[in-house]
Amino acid sequence: RCIAGLRVHDGRVNPEPTMKLFLQLAAILTLSFSPIFAAPPSWGTDVSKALSQAKKENKMAFILMGREACGNCQATKKLVNDSQVPVTAETFVVADINVDDARDSAEFQRKFKGEKFGNTLPFVVITDAKGKVVGSYSGFKSAQDLTAMITSAGSKAGEKP
């Protein structure tokens, strides 16, 4: 006989089908939601420290310059924090630079003066572990477009983000 998915034999319940079903469901859920469990990086606020840490840890750097009241900036940070793009603590050091802080803004501009940004925040720079720029953009990118850019930057850096 079968009662609610359990096999009953000689008055005893055989738990094997239930355990097998449980393990199958656990495997499916783990594989389906694995991006959710990727640890989002912790945002620093200093360009030099982020680049130094990236070099020390042999990671890429994802540096965003924006402001708290910028919708595009917050949306980009949300893509990272919600693991919608492949920027994880395992592969990246991240920094959130405040465009309204004169010192931080000047440091960002000095370090990345060769980059041609538009006039829309955020300004984002991706570097390899040595601090070489391998990608940059300004404005908002969808998760799909940002993922493609990060993947391309990782290829240029010899990394797999």
Side-chain angles (χ1 to χ4, degrees), residues 21-149:
L21 179 63
F22 171 77
L23 292 174
Q24 288 172 338
L25 285 173
I28 290 169
L29 289 174
T30 300
L31 293 174
S32 298
F33 296 109
S34 59
I36 292 173
F37 299 121
S42 176
W43 293 86
T45 58
D46 184 289
V47 173
S48 293
K49 285 182 182 176
L51 292 172
S52 176
Q53 182 182 350
K55 184 175 184 177
K56 179 180 163 189
E57 297 177 11
N58 197 32
K59 295 180 179 180
M60 296 174 69
F62 184 93
I63 302 172
L64 177 148
M65 184 166 74
R67 62 172 45 107
E68 200 61 38
C70 166
N72 287 340
C73 305
Q74 299 311 311
T76 300
K77 285 176 60 177
K78 184 171 174 34
L79 290 176
V80 172
N81 293 337
D82 291 351
S83 301
Q84 294 180 47
V85 294
V87 176
T88 65
E90 290 79 30
T91 54
F92 280 90
V93 172
V94 297
D96 179 15
I97 308 306
N98 183 354
V99 72
D100 296 320
D101 181 297
R103 186 188 66 80
D104 291 344
S105 183
E107 182 183 15
F108 181 93
Q109 295 297 337
R110 184 177 55 77
K111 295 256 188 217
F112 306 115
K113 62 184 169 204
E115 298 306 303
K116 295 187 180 351
F117 295 108
N119 57 3
T120 305
L121 291 174
F123 301 149
V124 175
V125 174
I126 300 173
T127 73
D128 65 11
K130 296 174 185 155
K132 178 184 171 198
V133 176
V134 291
S136 65
Y137 72 94
S138 67
F140 179 75
K141 287 193 176 292
S142 68
Q144 182 178 2
D145 291 343
L146 185 51
T147 296
M149 189 199 147

